[in-house]
Amino acid sequence: MVFQEGLIYNGLTSKTETAMNSNRTIKAAVLAGFLILLAIRIVHIEADPPYTLSLSGAAWGDPGGYNFNARNKVLFGSWEIDDYNMMYTSYPPHLLTYGIYRVFGVGFAQQNSVPVLFSFLTILFFFLILRRRYDEKIALLGAFLLGINYIFLMFSRIANRDMPAVFFLVLTVYFLQKAEDRAAWLPAAGAAAALSLTSKSFFFFILGGALFGYFLHLLHQRKPLDILRRVALIAAGAAVILIPWTLFIFIPHKASIQSFNSLNVPLLLPPADPVRLLRHFWERPAILLNRMPILAVFGGLFSLRLLYQATHRRKKLQVTDWVFLSWFFSGALYLAVIYQRFPRRFIPQILPLVFLAVSWAAAFLRKETKGEDRHALHWAFPPLLFIWMLFPVSLLLKFLNSRFPQAFRTSTALNLCLLGLSLLFCAAVTVFARRASRRSAWNAPVRVRSVLVLILFLLYCAGHGRLYLDWALAPPHQFRDISQDYGKAFSDAVFAGLWAPSICTENTHRAHEYFRGYINSREDFFPHFGITHVFTTTHYGEDRIFFEDFPIEMQGARLLARYHIWIVQALLYEIHPGPEEGEPGSLEAELYTEKGSTPRFDQQASARFAVRTPKGPARTAVEIPADGELPPGEYTISFHLRGDSSKRKIRRLARIDVIDAGRRSVLAARDLSAGDLEGGEFREFPLNIRVRRKGDIRFRVYSDGVVPLWTDRVTVKRTGSAD
């Protein structure tokens, strides 16, 4: 008997030790996972976003505007220095930004730490939600799916206001989940919801969808008096935030808030015209399906399972199921019909997709599965299915739409045809779901299911990880470099332009945004603010607007440098230029920069700037056209270059040539070796040419990408006649 008891005791001890070891392993994996998710957010924290991230310039220009007032307060002692103040549209994260600036100074690393912090906290609380709903393993899977998602990850490093609003929204769900045990958490949920709304008003529709899901949960779980009590507690918590915000922020600064919303609201509200509303859907791509197909497909498909349970087996759904399901459907419907659908608009939609995908994995990995109840589908299933259908089928409808002539695409007849096609698809899926609900589920071994989930997870990581590594191995730092250069090149300057606050982040110059009828729109803009420089881009014709609205100032301005940033050109003008810098007859390279090269401040350069072509792929650094057609004759073309070279074994580092572009002929060329470019000082490399006939003469510098190459200018001197 004692022997048997000893065996039982030893067996229990062995199981306990195994469980403890397993628990330690899981905790170590959680810690390592969160350290990885934090590390990939803070590495290259000063770098620019990937230039393929979005077709909207907001990822590059908006951070400067959002942090504008905090910078003003730290550097100049005043929150407001002009009529456009975005701090009032996003007050809670702006206060945090100011605190960081105050303690650590103003800079790109400091401002980008704000979204990094909020995104990391979002992942943490999302993990806690999933752990409470499922277990620690599933929660870690969900944290990783969210944390390494390429769009979510890269916008986690951009100092706009999406991440703070997402965090407070996730915090709302966390408190709602906690309130299932103690209703005392509901005021905290209301306060978090209000903070999300005051951080970014765009989240009004997303927040409404999530709270509607909680209300549906209450309808199926609580009595009427308990529902009223819980709604009142949420409202009380929201009032604690919204009443002071209304009294001290919204009412006193209503004009600034309305000015900001005047341009954005029409782009973010569904149109009143039904035909136009449908056309917004047919003609726009499904970004989530394109950018994250695995997550979109499995998350979207599992939403149908939850939808079926919501209409048949309501008591099986927990509060998070209701909230994320409603969040997903309301977000899908809203984003399908608004006009502006850049990737950053879909950030809040990623979270319910991850929750749904993880829920699918949790259900798929269960040891036993059962078919659904055998009875007819609930009446709510088809209309909700139609909303879900907007998500995965838009690519097919977009393809069909592209087959029609342009004149027919905008017609009511086409939209009705596409609507009919959508309804047919909805009916087909409804019939399929009805039949599938009567069949038994696939009962494969758990090990086989685990392997399938692991394969999908690795494919997901590979796809998003490759995009991240493409950026992380060679991140651009153009905004940081430009900002630091302007701090060295100019003193007491005042910059104008939509990106002016961003390029002044790491210097002490003043910046003022301008956009006709929207931002600081006043006729005396230049003299009132004492504008000395304009940093404008070709995006949405901003450069043209400056010339149209201020012809006198811009016609007398001098172009100092031309940049290639993202998909646009950025132009730096000096409004009251002094005497012409540089040698007579010289052509400044910084006015003719090619993609991949950047004008940089250089004390040795003739006009303060020279074009720097970094190490990397071989590329054309500059291509400078002759100043008008060169008349026939003999010329000496002098290239002023320098490089940082100690690679004496490399025969060629760069090439200079003179071409006749019209006749596609090379008039002269020379290879430059390590010996030519060593020393770190600008040298003159002449090429002698003879022009027999007028043509399109161009001067080119080509870098092999072995060492950084600097191009200052090209000088043209006539040395003889054509005879």
Side-chain angles (χ1 to χ4, degrees):
M1 185 70 178
V2 174
F3 176 72
Q4 291 179 347
E5 289 178 354
L7 289 177
I8 295 172
Y9 175 79
N10 290 333
L12 291 175
T13 303
S14 177
K15 290 182 179 180
T16 302
E17 290 178 352
T18 302
M20 290 177 63
N21 291 333
S22 177
N23 190 41
R24 291 194 195 100
T25 302
I26 293 174
K27 290 186 181 301
V30 170
L31 178 60
F34 274 93
L35 289 176
I36 292 172
L37 295 177
L38 179 61
I40 61 178
R41 279 161 169 74
I42 62 177
V43 66
H44 303 307
I45 195 170
E46 297 177 327
D48 302 339
Y51 292 153
T52 57
L53 182 63
S54 175
L55 292 177
S56 167
W60 292 267
D62 279 11
Y66 277 117
N67 302 300
F68 177 66
N69 298 102
R71 175 181 181 271
N72 292 340
K73 182 63 175 177
V74 172
L75 296 182
F76 312 123
S78 175
W79 294 101
E80 301 180 18
I81 64 173
D82 60 22
D83 303 327
Y84 189 67
N85 302 284
M86 292 177 66
M87 65 180 290
Y88 302 119
T89 67
S90 185
Y91 204 70
H94 195 87
L95 292 179
L96 177 60
T97 303
Y98 170 72
I100 291 175
Y101 280 178
R102 191 73 178 177
V103 175
F104 300 103
V106 180
F108 285 102
Q110 294 89 319
Q111 74 173 26
N112 292 342
S113 65
V114 175
V116 166
L117 173 63
F118 278 111
S119 70
F120 186 75
L121 290 175
T122 299
I123 298 169
L124 175 61
F125 278 90
F126 191 68
F127 169 84
L128 296 176
I129 291 171
L130 289 174
R131 187 177 67 175
R132 186 181 176 91
R133 176 63 179 87
Y134 297 108
D135 57 41
E136 211 154 24
K137 294 179 182 179
I138 293 297
L140 183 60
L141 173 63
F144 250 89
L145 290 179
L146 178 63
I148 66 172
N149 182 277
Y150 180 66
I151 292 180
F152 188 84
L153 171 59
M154 298 317 301
F155 277 98
S156 296
R157 308 165 46 88
I158 299 173
N160 54 27
R161 296 302 182 242
D162 292 298
M163 286 303 143
V166 167
F167 164 69
F168 288 122
L169 186 52
V170 170
L171 193 62
T172 302
V173 179
Y174 174 76
F175 288 139
L176 292 176
Q177 187 184 43
K178 296 276 286 184
E180 290 298 284
D181 297 329
R182 289 187 60 193
W185 289 103
L186 289 173
L195 287 171
S196 178
L197 187 62
T198 55
S199 295
K200 196 173 183 68
S201 57
F202 163 72
F203 277 59
F204 176 81
F205 292 94
I206 309 298
L207 180 63
L211 292 178
F212 180 71
Y214 180 69
F215 181 71
L216 291 177
H217 165 70
L218 293 181
L219 287 178
H220 295 108
Q221 301 289 339
R222 304 286 178 177
K223 296 180 180 180
L225 289 179
D226 191 31
I227 294 175
L228 291 176
R229 183 174 66 90
R230 287 176 171 266
V231 171
L233 289 173
I234 294 174
V240 171
I241 301 298
L242 293 179
I243 290 176
W245 178 82
T246 302
L247 294 177
F248 300 108
I249 303 298
F250 181 75
I251 294 177
H253 307 288
K254 184 178 179 181
S256 293
I257 297 174
Q258 288 180 334
S259 173
F260 175 79
N261 290 336
S262 63
L263 181 64
N264 289 279
V265 169
L267 302 175
L268 299 175
L269 286 179
D273 181 8
V275 174
R276 186 182 172 197
L277 185 143
L278 285 174
R279 192 164 68 243
H280 281 178
F281 165 65
W282 310 135
E283 297 178 353
R284 311 288 284 192
I287 291 178
L288 290 180
L289 190 62
N290 295 346
R291 299 287 187 99
M292 50 197 84
I294 294 177
L295 193 66
V297 169
F298 284 91
L301 288 176
F302 191 78
S303 70
L304 293 181
R305 177 190 175 101
L306 286 185
L307 175 61
Y308 185 90
Q309 290 181 342
T311 56
H312 288 77
R313 309 168 76 183
R314 306 178 187 90
K315 293 184 179 181
K316 280 205 166 190
L317 297 186
Q318 296 188 18
V319 59
T320 49
D321 301 332
W322 284 101
V323 169
F324 281 110
L325 187 64
S326 179
W327 180 346
F328 171 75
F329 276 104
S330 60
L333 180 60
Y334 169 66
L335 292 169
V337 296
I338 62 173
Y339 174 77
Q340 193 182 75
R341 287 195 279 173
F342 296 120
R344 72 180 188 277
R345 301 300 182 197
F346 286 81
I347 292 173
Q349 195 69 357
I350 296 173
L351 282 89
L353 263 183
V354 172
F355 178 85
L356 291 168
V358 168
S359 298
W360 169 82
F364 187 67
L365 293 174
R366 282 203 302 263
K367 293 183 179 180
E368 295 181 3
T369 58
K370 296 180 180 180
E372 301 290 354
D373 296 339
R374 298 184 180 183
H375 49 66
L377 292 177
H378 192 271
W379 63 267
F381 186 83
L384 290 175
L385 173 65
F386 178 74
I387 299 174
W388 176 86
M389 182 276 309
L390 296 176
F391 176 65
V393 185
S394 63
L395 288 180
L396 173 62
L397 297 176
K398 188 173 185 292
F399 171 78
L400 294 175
N401 188 28
S402 65
R403 304 297 98 183
F404 294 98
Q406 179 66 33
F408 188 56
R409 292 182 193 177
T410 58
S411 67
T412 303
L414 175 62
N415 282 276
L416 291 176
C417 290
L418 293 175
L419 178 61
L421 181 62
S422 305
L423 292 174
L424 287 175
F425 175 84
C426 178
V429 174
T430 301
V431 172
F432 174 79
R434 184 175 182 178
R435 293 183 177 180
S437 66
R438 297 175 178 174
R439 299 179 181 178
S440 299
W442 180 46
N443 285 309
V446 175
R447 185 169 298 179
V448 174
R449 302 184 188 193
S450 300
V451 171
L452 289 176
V453 172
L454 178 62
I455 291 174
L456 290 172
F457 175 72
L458 293 177
L459 288 174
Y460 179 88
C461 292
H464 291 268
R466 179 185 61 81
L467 293 173
Y468 174 78
L469 288 176
D470 288 345
W471 168 84
L473 294 176
H477 290 84
Q478 283 187 287
F479 275 85
R480 182 202 62 185
D481 294 341
I482 292 171
S483 185
Q484 293 178 354
D485 283 349
Y486 290 177
K488 302 171 185 176
F490 311 111
S491 60
D492 299 324
V494 182
F495 284 81
L498 291 177
W499 286 6
S502 290
I503 56 96
C504 288
T505 297
E506 298 214 354
N507 56 57
T508 57
H509 302 311
R510 292 177 180 262
H512 300 278
E513 293 187 69
Y514 174 83
F515 199 77
R516 180 192 299 159
Y518 178 44
I519 304 175
N520 290 319
S521 185
R522 49 192 305 163
E523 295 181 359
D524 62 342
F525 175 75
F526 274 75
H528 181 80
F529 296 114
I531 303 299
T532 62
H533 296 79
V534 171
F535 187 88
T536 183
T537 73
T538 55
H539 192 45
Y540 287 115
E542 183 195 359
D543 56 332
R544 173 181 51 79
I545 291 175
F546 268 104
F547 276 92
E548 291 175 353
D549 291 0
F550 308 105
I552 297 177
E553 289 85 354
M554 295 305 296
Q555 288 174 6
R558 178 189 300 159
L559 180 62
L560 297 183
R562 183 187 304 269
Y563 302 83
H564 289 276
I565 303 176
W566 178 46
I567 59 173
V568 301
Q569 290 188 39
L571 310 169
L572 172 63
Y573 290 94
E574 190 173 22
I575 300 304
H576 303 291
E580 189 76 31
E581 298 179 278
E583 297 181 9
S586 65
L587 301 171
E588 294 296 331
E590 58 268 20
L591 305 183
Y592 305 96
T593 312
E594 293 290 313
K595 289 184 177 180
S597 301
T598 303
R600 296 296 309 275
F601 172 73
D602 193 310
Q603 291 181 337
Q604 301 181 42
S606 60
R608 293 179 286 181
F609 291 93
V611 174
R612 182 181 186 274
T613 306
K615 293 172 60 176
R619 57 168 66 92
T620 300
V622 295
E623 181 172 328
I624 305 176
D627 189 8
E629 291 187 341
L630 293 181
E634 295 181 348
Y635 297 86
T636 297
I637 312 299
S638 299
F639 293 78
H640 296 256
L641 309 171
R642 73 175 177 90
D644 181 15
S645 174
S646 58
K647 301 179 180 293
R648 291 185 172 274
K649 295 182 179 180
I650 305 297
R651 291 186 177 181
R652 195 183 101 166
L653 301 180
R655 172 188 172 91
I656 56 175
D657 61 25
V658 181
I659 64 171
D660 186 334
R663 298 180 178 86
R664 298 183 179 180
S665 61
V666 178
L667 303 183
R670 175 180 174 178
D671 291 339
L672 303 179
S673 65
D676 295 322
L677 295 174
E678 68 178 353
E681 296 182 354
F682 281 105
R683 295 186 179 183
E684 185 176 298
F685 301 96
L687 290 179
N688 296 317
I689 64 169
R690 174 176 290 181
V691 178
R692 300 185 182 278
R693 291 176 292 177
K694 290 183 179 181
D696 183 10
I697 307 301
R698 295 177 177 267
F699 317 117
R700 301 189 303 183
V701 177
Y702 185 86
S703 170
D704 287 350
V706 180
V707 298
L709 180 68
W710 295 74
T711 307
D712 179 17
R713 67 187 187 276
V714 172
T715 303
V716 180
K717 292 184 179 179
R718 185 166 183 169
T719 58
S721 62
D723 299 332

